[in-house]
Amino acid sequence: MNAQLSIGDFSRATHMSVKMLRHYHQIGLLEPADVDPHTGYRRYTADQIPIAQVVRRFRELDMPLDEIAAVLAAPDVRTRGERVATHLSRLEASLEAKQRAVASLRDLLAPEAAGPPDAAAGIELRSVPAVPAAAITEVVDAAEAGPWLRGAVAELLATLEAQDLAPAGPAGGIFADDLFTHHRGQSTVFVPCAGDVRQIGRVVPLVVPPAELAVITHAGPTTETDRAYGVLGAFVARHALGVDGPMREYYVVGRRETPDTALWRTEVGWPVFRVAARAGADPAAGPGAGPGAGAGAGPGAGAG
């Protein structure tokens, strides 16, 4: 007969609190071997100690309780391994994101590099002409903007291919102020193209309006474009250039071009007041200023 342990002894053996063991019993994750019908006392067997240790390790890895239950209920070793591997993949992705955040924070806390910040950032003033494009416009939550943007760009490219139309430049995005101020707002993603786009589903033809923009290029993953936004916002404020209007982003290099996020390039455009006659004399106007360059990810990050 397998030796039984009281809930207190089982707690000591597994380093799980009594409160936790009672909760796991209530949700059916780790049920005691026996419950006294008169006293309600729970008793566990020694064979359950390894199972409890596995549960504890999974919880240390932030695995949700329902997924732990699915792993324990797996009908065979292969299925169990697949379920564990799925969580570990998510964990690795989360760890990479945290490592990027730590590196970014260290950069932010480091002393500023010598030299004018605007010159170091490579900000330029750019006149962007109107361009015909295929577009998708919807009201989007900021938290979902990245996945929405990736899906919309893929849908636009597939629609253009189906209609034998070639992209005439990188994909871009236009984002209303509400997306930033209220984390929910109108978002438009577009792909410039030559030729008449036929409306199919969410995809409609659109003439992207011209704009005067202060533009900064962000190098790296789109999850870190907030730093580019910060530098650009400070530049616009210092030079009193800001005007009402949506932000723009152009995705010059992203996941479709390379899996190496270090090579990704996202242009962020802030609407500004600019008199054309002064453009040539403006010290912020860089040699690369001019129409045509694409812009980058989106407020939701992860466009690529």
Side-chain angles (χ1 to χ4, degrees):
M1 180 177 178
N2 199 357
Q4 291 192 334
L5 297 86
S6 68
I7 191 170
D9 288 342
F10 194 74
S11 172
R12 283 187 286 273
T14 61
H15 288 194
M16 285 183 173
S17 69
V18 169
K19 181 179 179 180
M20 185 179 297
L21 289 171
R22 287 171 177 162
H23 177 61
Y24 289 169
H25 178 198
Q26 290 172 353
I27 65 175
L29 178 61
L30 182 58
E31 297 184 1
D34 180 66
V35 179
D36 189 295
H38 302 292
T39 64
Y41 289 167
R42 299 169 174 85
R43 301 193 68 81
Y44 297 81
T45 66
D47 289 343
Q48 290 180 286
I49 292 176
I51 299 173
Q53 291 172 334
V54 168
V55 171
R56 184 165 171 267
R57 289 294 185 273
F58 280 142
R59 289 302 293 149
E60 289 176 349
L61 293 175
D62 295 326
M63 179 179 280
L65 293 176
D66 59 338
E67 293 188 17
I68 296 176
V71 169
L72 297 179
D76 51 59
V77 174
R78 179 180 177 182
T79 303
R80 184 182 304 119
E82 289 173 349
R83 291 173 180 174
V84 172
T86 297
H87 177 72
L88 292 179
S89 296
R90 287 201 307 268
L91 194 66
E92 289 170 348
S94 176
L95 179 60
E96 290 175 1
K98 286 182 173 65
Q99 290 173 334
R100 289 195 299 267
V102 169
S104 179
L105 182 59
R106 283 175 174 161
D107 288 344
L108 288 170
L109 296 176
E112 292 185 359
D118 298 344
I123 296 172
E124 63 183 59
L125 298 184
R126 181 180 299 171
S127 294
V128 178
V131 294
I136 293 174
T137 299
E138 289 182 339
V139 175
V140 178
D141 289 329
E144 301 298 328
W148 175 84
L149 192 55
R150 290 195 298 272
V153 169
E155 185 175 343
L156 289 169
L157 293 174
T159 299
L160 291 181
E161 182 178 3
Q163 297 186 20
D164 294 324
L165 297 173
I174 302 174
F175 306 102
D177 284 346
D178 282 348
L179 189 63
F180 302 92
T181 57
H182 300 295
H183 285 192
R184 179 176 174 80
Q186 181 171 292
S187 302
T188 297
V189 62
F190 62 87
V191 176
C193 61
D196 296 327
V197 177
R198 300 190 306 277
Q199 179 174 348
I200 298 179
R202 299 189 300 168
V203 179
V204 299
L206 173 72
V207 175
V208 179
E212 299 290 337
L213 303 172
V215 178
I216 187 172
T217 299
H218 167 72
T222 52
T223 52
E224 298 175 7
T225 53
D226 61 316
R227 297 183 63 184
Y229 271 82
V231 173
L232 192 58
F235 168 85
V236 170
R238 278 195 301 272
H239 295 280
L241 295 172
V243 297
D244 291 337
M247 295 292 295
R248 290 202 186 186
E249 295 181 351
Y250 296 86
Y251 315 107
V252 183
V253 180
R255 69 179 68 245
R256 286 174 299 280
E257 289 75 33
T258 174
D260 186 353
T261 59
L263 299 178
W264 292 6
R265 296 295 181 269
T266 297
E267 290 183 346
V268 180
W270 194 296
V272 296
F273 172 79
R274 184 182 178 200
V275 179
R278 295 176 54 202
D282 195 312

